[in-house]
Coordinates of all heavy atoms in Angstrom, one line a residue:
E5 N -3.4 -2.5 1.3 CA -3.2 -1.2 1.8 C -2.9 -0.2 0.7 O -3.4 1.0 0.8 CB -1.9 -1.2 2.8 CG -2.2 -1.9 4.1 CD -2.1 -3.5 4.0 OE1 -1.6 -4.0 3.0 OE2 -2.7 -4.1 4.9
D6 N -2.2 -0.6 -0.3 CA -2.0 0.3 -1.5 C -3.4 0.6 -2.1 O -3.7 1.8 -2.4 CB -1.2 -0.3 -2.6 CG 0.3 -0.4 -2.2 OD1 0.7 0.3 -1.3 OD2 1.0 -1.2 -2.8
Y7 N -4.3 -0.4 -2.3 CA -5.6 -0.1 -2.9 C -6.4 0.9 -2.0 O -7.1 1.7 -2.5 CB -6.3 -1.4 -3.0 CG -5.8 -2.4 -4.1 CD1 -6.3 -3.6 -4.3 CD2 -4.7 -2.0 -4.9 CE1 -5.7 -4.5 -5.3 CE2 -4.1 -2.8 -5.9 CZ -4.7 -4.1 -6.0 OH -4.2 -4.9 -7.0
R8 N -6.3 0.7 -0.7 CA -7.0 1.6 0.2 C -6.5 3.1 0.0 O -7.3 4.0 -0.1 CB -6.8 1.3 1.7 CG -7.6 0.1 2.1 CD -7.3 -0.2 3.6 NE -8.0 -1.4 4.0 CZ -7.4 -2.5 4.5 NH1 -6.1 -2.4 4.8 NH2 -8.0 -3.6 4.8
D9 N -5.2 3.2 -0.1 CA -4.7 4.6 -0.4 C -5.1 5.1 -1.7 O -5.4 6.3 -1.8 CB -3.1 4.5 -0.3 CG -2.6 4.3 1.1 OD1 -3.4 4.6 2.1 OD2 -1.4 4.0 1.3
Y10 N -5.0 4.3 -2.8 CA -5.4 4.8 -4.1 C -6.9 5.2 -4.1 O -7.2 6.3 -4.6 CB -5.3 3.6 -5.1 CG -3.9 3.2 -5.4 CD1 -3.7 1.9 -5.9 CD2 -2.8 3.9 -5.1 CE1 -2.4 1.4 -6.1 CE2 -1.5 3.5 -5.3 CZ -1.3 2.2 -5.8 OH 0.0 1.7 -6.1
I11 N -7.8 4.4 -3.5 CA -9.2 4.7 -3.5 C -9.5 6.0 -2.7 O -10.2 6.9 -3.2 CB -10.0 3.6 -2.9 CG1 -10.0 2.4 -3.8 CG2 -11.5 4.0 -2.6 CD1 -10.5 1.1 -3.2
Q12 N -8.9 6.1 -1.5 CA -9.1 7.3 -0.7 C -8.5 8.6 -1.4 O -9.2 9.6 -1.4 CB -8.5 7.2 0.7 CG -9.2 6.1 1.5 CD -8.6 5.9 2.9 OE1 -8.4 6.8 3.6 NE2 -8.3 4.6 3.2
S13 N -7.4 8.4 -2.1 CA -6.8 9.6 -2.8 C -7.7 10.0 -3.9 O -7.9 11.2 -4.1 CB -5.4 9.2 -3.3 OG -4.9 10.2 -4.0
L14 N -8.2 9.0 -4.7 CA -9.0 9.4 -5.9 C -10.3 10.0 -5.5 O -10.8 11.0 -6.0 CB -9.3 8.1 -6.8 CG -8.1 7.7 -7.6 CD1 -8.4 6.3 -8.3 CD2 -7.7 8.7 -8.6
L15 N -11.0 9.4 -4.4 CA -12.3 10.0 -4.0 C -12.1 11.4 -3.4 O -12.9 12.3 -3.6 CB -12.9 9.0 -3.0 CG -13.9 8.0 -3.5 CD1 -13.3 7.1 -4.6 CD2 -14.6 7.3 -2.4
S16 N -11.0 11.6 -2.7 CA -10.7 12.9 -2.2 C -10.5 13.9 -3.3 O -10.9 15.1 -3.3 CB -9.5 12.9 -1.3 OG -9.7 12.1 -0.1
E17 N -9.8 13.4 -4.4 CA -9.5 14.3 -5.6 C -10.9 14.7 -6.2 O -11.1 15.8 -6.5 CB -8.7 13.6 -6.6 CG -8.5 14.3 -7.9 CD -7.8 13.5 -8.9 OE1 -6.9 12.6 -8.6 OE2 -8.1 13.6 -10.1
Y18 N -11.7 13.7 -6.4 CA -13.0 13.9 -7.1 C -13.9 14.9 -6.2 O -14.6 15.7 -6.7 CB -13.8 12.7 -7.3 CG -13.3 11.9 -8.5 CD1 -12.1 11.2 -8.5 CD2 -14.1 11.8 -9.7 CE1 -11.7 10.5 -9.7 CE2 -13.7 11.1 -10.8 CZ -12.5 10.4 -10.8 OH -12.1 9.7 -11.9
A19 N -13.8 14.7 -4.9 CA -14.5 15.6 -3.9 C -14.1 17.0 -4.0 O -14.8 17.9 -3.6 CB -14.4 15.0 -2.5
S20 N -12.8 17.3 -4.4 CA -12.3 18.6 -4.5 C -12.8 19.4 -5.7 O -12.6 20.6 -5.8 CB -10.8 18.6 -4.4 OG -10.3 18.1 -5.7
Y21 N -13.4 18.7 -6.7 CA -13.9 19.4 -7.9 C -15.1 20.3 -7.5 O -15.9 19.9 -6.7 CB -14.3 18.4 -9.0 CG -13.2 17.5 -9.5 CD1 -13.4 16.3 -10.1 CD2 -11.8 17.9 -9.4 CE1 -12.4 15.5 -10.5 CE2 -10.8 17.1 -9.9 CZ -11.1 15.9 -10.4 OH -10.1 15.1 -10.9
K22 N -15.2 21.4 -8.2 CA -16.3 22.3 -8.0 C -17.6 21.7 -8.4 O -17.7 21.2 -9.5 CB -16.0 23.6 -8.8 CG -17.0 24.7 -8.7 CD -16.6 25.7 -7.7 CE -17.5 26.9 -7.7 NZ -18.5 26.8 -6.6
S23 N -18.6 21.9 -7.6 CA -19.9 21.4 -7.9 C -20.8 22.4 -8.7 O -20.3 23.6 -8.8 CB -20.7 20.9 -6.7 OG -21.0 22.0 -5.9
L24 N -22.0 22.0 -9.1 CA -22.9 22.9 -9.8 C -23.3 24.1 -8.9 O -23.6 25.2 -9.4 CB -24.1 22.2 -10.2 CG -23.9 21.1 -11.3 CD1 -25.2 20.3 -11.5 CD2 -23.5 21.7 -12.6
S25 N -23.3 23.9 -7.7 CA -23.8 24.9 -6.7 C -23.0 24.9 -5.5 O -22.4 23.9 -5.1 CB -25.3 24.6 -6.4 OG -25.7 25.3 -5.3
D26 N -22.8 26.1 -4.9 CA -22.1 26.3 -3.7 C -22.8 25.6 -2.5 O -22.3 25.3 -1.5 CB -21.9 27.7 -3.3 CG -20.9 28.4 -4.2 OD1 -20.0 27.7 -4.8 OD2 -21.0 29.6 -4.4
D27 N -24.1 25.3 -2.8 CA -24.9 24.6 -1.7 C -24.9 23.1 -1.8 O -25.6 22.4 -1.1 CB -26.4 25.1 -1.8 CG -26.5 26.6 -1.6 OD1 -25.7 27.1 -0.8 OD2 -27.4 27.2 -2.2
I28 N -24.0 22.6 -2.7 CA -23.8 21.1 -2.8 C -22.5 20.8 -2.3 O -21.5 21.3 -2.8 CB -24.0 20.6 -4.2 CG1 -25.4 20.9 -4.7 CG2 -23.8 19.1 -4.3 CD1 -25.6 20.6 -6.2
E29 N -22.4 19.9 -1.3 CA -21.2 19.4 -0.7 C -20.9 18.0 -1.1 O -21.7 17.1 -1.1 CB -21.3 19.5 0.8 CG -20.1 19.0 1.6 CD -20.3 19.0 3.1 OE1 -21.4 19.3 3.5 OE2 -19.4 18.6 3.8
A30 N -19.6 17.8 -1.6 CA -19.2 16.5 -1.9 C -18.6 15.9 -0.6 O -17.6 16.4 -0.1 CB -18.1 16.5 -3.0
Q31 N -19.1 14.7 -0.2 CA -18.6 14.1 1.0 C -18.0 12.8 0.7 O -18.6 12.0 0.0 CB -19.8 13.9 2.0 CG -20.4 15.2 2.5 CD -21.6 14.9 3.5 OE1 -21.9 13.7 3.7 NE2 -22.1 15.9 4.1
T32 N -16.8 12.5 1.3 CA -16.2 11.2 1.2 C -16.6 10.4 2.5 O -16.6 11.0 3.6 CB -14.7 11.3 1.1 OG1 -14.2 12.1 2.2 CG2 -14.3 12.0 -0.2
I33 N -16.8 9.2 2.3 CA -17.2 8.3 3.4 C -16.2 7.1 3.3 O -16.3 6.3 2.3 CB -18.6 7.8 3.3 CG1 -19.6 9.0 3.4 CG2 -19.0 6.8 4.4 CD1 -21.0 8.7 3.0
F34 N -15.3 6.9 4.3 CA -14.3 5.9 4.2 C -14.6 4.9 5.4 O -14.4 5.3 6.6 CB -12.9 6.4 4.3 CG -12.5 7.4 3.2 CD1 -11.6 8.4 3.5 CD2 -13.1 7.3 2.0 CE1 -11.2 9.3 2.5 CE2 -12.7 8.2 1.0 CZ -11.8 9.2 1.2
D35 N -15.0 3.7 5.2 CA -15.1 2.7 6.2 C -13.9 1.7 6.0 O -14.0 0.7 5.3 CB -16.4 1.9 6.1 CG -16.6 0.8 7.1 OD1 -15.6 0.5 7.8 OD2 -17.7 0.2 7.1
T36 N -12.8 2.1 6.6 CA -11.5 1.3 6.4 C -11.6 0.0 7.1 O -10.8 -0.9 6.8 CB -10.3 2.2 6.8 OG1 -10.5 2.6 8.2 CG2 -10.1 3.4 5.9
D37 N -12.4 -0.2 8.1 CA -12.5 -1.5 8.8 C -13.2 -2.5 8.0 O -12.8 -3.7 8.0 CB -13.3 -1.3 10.1 CG -12.6 -0.5 11.2 OD1 -11.3 -0.5 11.1 OD2 -13.2 0.0 12.1
R38 N -14.2 -2.1 7.2 CA -14.9 -3.0 6.3 C -14.6 -2.8 4.8 O -15.2 -3.5 4.0 CB -16.4 -2.9 6.6 CG -16.8 -3.3 8.0 CD -18.2 -2.9 8.3 NE -18.5 -3.0 9.8 CZ -18.2 -2.0 10.6 NH1 -17.7 -0.9 10.2 NH2 -18.4 -2.1 11.9
D39 N -13.8 -1.8 4.5 CA -13.4 -1.5 3.1 C -14.5 -1.2 2.2 O -14.7 -1.7 1.1 CB -12.5 -2.7 2.5 CG -11.1 -2.7 3.0 OD1 -10.5 -1.6 3.2 OD2 -10.6 -3.8 3.2
H40 N -15.3 -0.2 2.7 CA -16.4 0.4 1.9 C -16.0 1.9 1.7 O -15.7 2.5 2.7 CB -17.7 0.3 2.5 CG -18.1 -1.1 2.8 ND1 -18.3 -2.1 1.8 CD2 -18.4 -1.8 4.0 CE1 -18.6 -3.2 2.4 NE2 -18.7 -3.1 3.7
Y41 N -16.1 2.4 0.5 CA -15.7 3.8 0.2 C -16.7 4.4 -0.7 O -17.1 3.8 -1.7 CB -14.3 3.8 -0.4 CG -13.3 3.1 0.4 CD1 -13.1 1.7 0.2 CD2 -12.6 3.7 1.4 CE1 -12.2 1.0 1.0 CE2 -11.7 3.0 2.2 CZ -11.5 1.7 1.9 OH -10.6 1.0 2.7
Q42 N -17.2 5.6 -0.3 CA -18.2 6.3 -1.2 C -17.8 7.8 -1.3 O -17.2 8.4 -0.4 CB -19.6 6.2 -0.6 CG -20.2 4.8 -0.7 CD -21.6 4.8 -0.3 OE1 -22.2 5.8 0.3 NE2 -22.3 3.7 -0.6
L43 N -18.3 8.4 -2.4 CA -18.3 9.8 -2.6 C -19.8 10.2 -2.9 O -20.4 9.6 -3.8 CB -17.5 10.2 -3.8 CG -17.6 11.7 -4.2 CD1 -17.1 12.7 -3.1 CD2 -16.8 11.9 -5.5
V44 N -20.4 11.0 -2.0 CA -21.8 11.4 -2.2 C -21.9 12.9 -2.3 O -21.1 13.6 -1.7 CB -22.7 10.9 -1.1 CG1 -22.7 9.4 -1.0 CG2 -22.2 11.4 0.3
D45 N -22.9 13.3 -3.1 CA -23.2 14.8 -3.2 C -24.4 15.0 -2.3 O -25.4 14.3 -2.4 CB -23.6 15.2 -4.6 CG -22.4 15.4 -5.5 OD1 -21.3 15.6 -5.0 OD2 -22.5 15.3 -6.7
V46 N -24.4 16.1 -1.5 CA -25.4 16.4 -0.5 C -25.6 17.9 -0.6 O -24.7 18.7 -0.5 CB -25.0 16.0 0.9 CG1 -26.1 16.4 1.9 CG2 -24.7 14.5 1.0
G47 N -26.9 18.3 -0.7 CA -27.2 19.8 -0.6 C -28.4 20.1 -1.4 O -29.4 19.3 -1.6
W48 N -28.4 21.3 -2.0 CA -29.5 21.9 -2.7 C -29.0 22.6 -4.0 O -28.0 23.2 -4.0 CB -30.3 22.9 -1.8 CG -31.0 22.3 -0.7 CD1 -30.5 22.0 0.5 CD2 -32.3 21.8 -0.7 NE1 -31.5 21.4 1.3 CE2 -32.6 21.3 0.5 CE3 -33.3 21.8 -1.7 CZ2 -33.8 20.7 0.9 CZ3 -34.5 21.3 -1.4 CH2 -34.8 20.7 -0.1
H49 N -29.8 22.4 -5.1 CA -29.6 23.1 -6.3 C -30.9 23.8 -6.6 O -31.9 23.2 -6.9 CB -29.1 22.2 -7.4 CG -28.9 22.9 -8.7 ND1 -27.8 23.8 -8.9 CD2 -29.5 22.9 -9.9 CE1 -27.8 24.2 -10.1 NE2 -28.9 23.7 -10.7
D50 N -30.9 25.2 -6.6 CA -32.1 26.0 -6.7 C -33.0 25.5 -5.5 O -32.6 25.5 -4.4 CB -32.7 25.9 -8.0 CG -31.8 26.5 -9.1 OD1 -31.1 27.4 -8.8 OD2 -31.8 26.0 -10.2
N51 N -34.2 25.0 -5.9 CA -35.1 24.5 -4.8 C -35.2 23.0 -4.8 O -36.2 22.4 -4.3 CB -36.5 25.1 -5.0 CG -36.5 26.6 -4.7 OD1 -35.8 27.1 -3.8 ND2 -37.3 27.4 -5.5
H52 N -34.2 22.4 -5.4 CA -34.3 20.9 -5.5 C -33.2 20.3 -4.6 O -32.0 20.7 -4.6 CB -34.0 20.4 -6.9 CG -35.0 21.0 -7.9 ND1 -36.3 20.4 -8.0 CD2 -35.0 22.0 -8.7 CE1 -37.0 21.1 -8.9 NE2 -36.2 22.1 -9.4
R53 N -33.6 19.3 -3.8 CA -32.7 18.5 -3.0 C -31.8 17.7 -3.8 O -32.2 17.0 -4.8 CB -33.5 17.6 -2.0 CG -32.7 16.8 -1.1 CD -32.0 17.6 0.0 NE -31.3 16.7 0.9 CZ -30.3 17.1 1.6 NH1 -29.8 18.3 1.6 NH2 -29.7 16.2 2.5
V54 N -30.5 17.7 -3.5 CA -29.5 16.9 -4.1 C -28.9 15.9 -3.1 O -28.5 16.3 -2.1 CB -28.4 17.7 -4.7 CG1 -27.3 16.8 -5.3 CG2 -28.9 18.7 -5.8
Y55 N -29.1 14.6 -3.4 CA -28.5 13.6 -2.6 C -28.2 12.4 -3.4 O -29.2 11.8 -4.0 CB -29.3 13.2 -1.4 CG -28.6 12.2 -0.5 CD1 -27.8 12.6 0.5 CD2 -28.8 10.8 -0.7 CE1 -27.1 11.6 1.3 CE2 -28.1 9.9 0.0 CZ -27.3 10.3 1.0 OH -26.6 9.3 1.8
G56 N -27.0 12.1 -3.6 CA -26.7 10.9 -4.5 C -25.3 10.4 -4.4 O -24.4 11.2 -4.2
C57 N -25.2 9.1 -4.6 CA -23.9 8.5 -4.6 C -23.2 8.7 -6.0 O -23.8 8.5 -7.0 CB -24.1 7.0 -4.4 SG -22.5 6.1 -4.5
V58 N -22.0 9.3 -6.0 CA -21.2 9.5 -7.2 C -20.3 8.3 -7.4 O -20.3 7.8 -8.6 CB -20.4 10.8 -7.1 CG1 -19.5 11.0 -8.3 CG2 -21.3 12.0 -6.8
L59 N -19.7 7.8 -6.4 CA -18.8 6.7 -6.5 C -19.0 5.8 -5.3 O -19.1 6.3 -4.2 CB -17.3 7.1 -6.6 CG -16.9 7.7 -7.9 CD1 -15.6 8.5 -7.7 CD2 -16.7 6.6 -8.9
H60 N -18.9 4.5 -5.5 CA -19.0 3.5 -4.4 C -18.0 2.4 -4.8 O -18.2 1.7 -5.8 CB -20.4 3.0 -4.2 CG -20.5 1.9 -3.2 ND1 -21.7 1.5 -2.7 CD2 -19.6 1.2 -2.5 CE1 -21.5 0.5 -1.8 NE2 -20.2 0.3 -1.7
L61 N -17.0 2.2 -4.0 CA -16.0 1.1 -4.2 C -15.9 0.3 -2.9 O -16.0 0.9 -1.8 CB -14.7 1.7 -4.6 CG -14.6 2.4 -6.0 CD1 -15.0 3.8 -5.9 CD2 -13.2 2.2 -6.5
D62 N -15.7 -1.0 -3.1 CA -15.4 -1.9 -2.0 C -14.1 -2.6 -2.3 O -13.7 -2.8 -3.4 CB -16.5 -2.9 -1.8 CG -17.8 -2.3 -1.4 OD1 -17.9 -1.2 -0.8 OD2 -18.9 -2.8 -1.9
I63 N -13.4 -3.1 -1.3 CA -12.3 -4.1 -1.4 C -12.8 -5.4 -0.8 O -13.2 -5.4 0.3 CB -11.0 -3.6 -0.7 CG1 -10.6 -2.3 -1.3 CG2 -10.0 -4.6 -0.9 CD1 -9.4 -1.6 -0.6
K64 N -12.8 -6.4 -1.7 CA -13.3 -7.7 -1.2 C -12.3 -8.8 -1.8 O -12.0 -8.7 -3.0 CB -14.7 -8.1 -1.7 CG -15.7 -7.1 -1.2 CD -17.2 -7.6 -1.4 CE -17.6 -7.7 -2.9 NZ -19.0 -8.0 -3.0
D65 N -11.8 -9.6 -0.9 CA -10.9 -10.7 -1.4 C -9.8 -10.2 -2.2 O -9.4 -10.8 -3.2 CB -11.7 -11.8 -2.1 CG -12.8 -12.4 -1.3 OD1 -12.6 -12.6 -0.1 OD2 -13.9 -12.7 -1.9
G66 N -9.2 -9.0 -1.8 CA -8.0 -8.5 -2.5 C -8.3 -7.8 -3.8 O -7.3 -7.5 -4.5
K67 N -9.6 -7.6 -4.1 CA -9.9 -6.9 -5.4 C -10.8 -5.7 -5.1 O -11.5 -5.7 -4.1 CB -10.7 -7.9 -6.3 CG -9.9 -9.1 -6.8 CD -10.7 -9.9 -7.7 CE -9.8 -11.1 -8.2 NZ -10.6 -12.0 -9.1
I68 N -10.7 -4.8 -6.0 CA -11.5 -3.5 -5.9 C -12.8 -3.8 -6.7 O -12.7 -4.0 -7.9 CB -10.7 -2.3 -6.5 CG1 -9.4 -2.1 -5.6 CG2 -11.6 -1.1 -6.4 CD1 -8.5 -1.0 -6.2
W69 N -13.9 -3.7 -6.0 CA -15.2 -3.8 -6.6 C -15.8 -2.4 -6.8 O -16.0 -1.7 -5.8 CB -16.1 -4.7 -5.7 CG -15.8 -6.1 -5.7 CD1 -14.6 -6.7 -5.2 CD2 -16.6 -7.2 -6.2 NE1 -14.7 -8.0 -5.4 CE2 -15.8 -8.4 -6.0 CE3 -17.8 -7.3 -6.8 CZ2 -16.3 -9.6 -6.4 CZ3 -18.3 -8.5 -7.2 CH2 -17.6 -9.7 -7.0
I70 N -16.0 -2.0 -8.0 CA -16.6 -0.8 -8.3 C -18.2 -1.0 -8.4 O -18.7 -1.5 -9.4 CB -16.1 -0.2 -9.6 CG1 -14.6 0.0 -9.6 CG2 -16.8 1.2 -9.9 CD1 -14.0 0.5 -10.8
Q71 N -18.8 -0.6 -7.3 CA -20.3 -0.9 -7.2 C -21.1 0.2 -8.0 O -22.2 -0.2 -8.5 CB -20.7 -0.8 -5.7 CG -20.0 -1.8 -4.8 CD -20.3 -3.3 -5.1 OE1 -21.2 -3.6 -5.9 NE2 -19.7 -4.2 -4.4
H72 N -20.6 1.4 -8.0 CA -21.3 2.5 -8.8 C -20.2 3.5 -9.2 O -19.3 3.8 -8.5 CB -22.3 3.2 -7.9 CG -23.0 4.3 -8.6 ND1 -24.0 4.1 -9.5 CD2 -22.8 5.6 -8.5 CE1 -24.4 5.3 -10.0 NE2 -23.7 6.2 -9.3
D73 N -20.3 3.9 -10.5 CA -19.4 4.9 -11.0 C -20.3 6.0 -11.8 O -20.7 5.7 -12.9 CB -18.4 4.3 -11.9 CG -17.4 5.3 -12.4 OD1 -17.6 6.6 -12.2 OD2 -16.4 4.9 -13.0

Side-chain angles (χ1 to χ4, degrees):
E5 288 79 18
D6 287 342
Y7 291 175
R8 286 182 185 121
D9 288 344
Y10 296 157
I11 291 169
Q12 292 178 56
S13 175
L14 286 172
L15 268 57
S16 296
E17 175 189 325
Y18 281 72
S20 72
Y21 296 156
K22 179 101 175 98
S23 69
L24 293 173
S25 167
D26 289 337
D27 296 328
I28 299 173
E29 178 184 0
Q31 296 182 352
T32 55
I33 301 168
F34 301 151
D35 177 353
T36 55
D37 290 336
R38 295 171 197 82
D39 282 325
H40 303 298
Y41 306 90
Q42 288 190 347
L43 171 64
V44 295
D45 282 338
V46 179
W48 290 89
H49 181 67
D50 296 328
N51 290 325
H52 300 281
R53 176 72 174 156
V54 174
Y55 182 88
C57 177
V58 178
L59 287 162
H60 176 170
L61 292 87
D62 298 326
I63 299 175
K64 298 194 294 189
D65 300 324
K67 294 182 181 179
I68 298 172
W69 288 64
I70 302 174
Q71 303 290 356
H72 178 76
D73 184 352

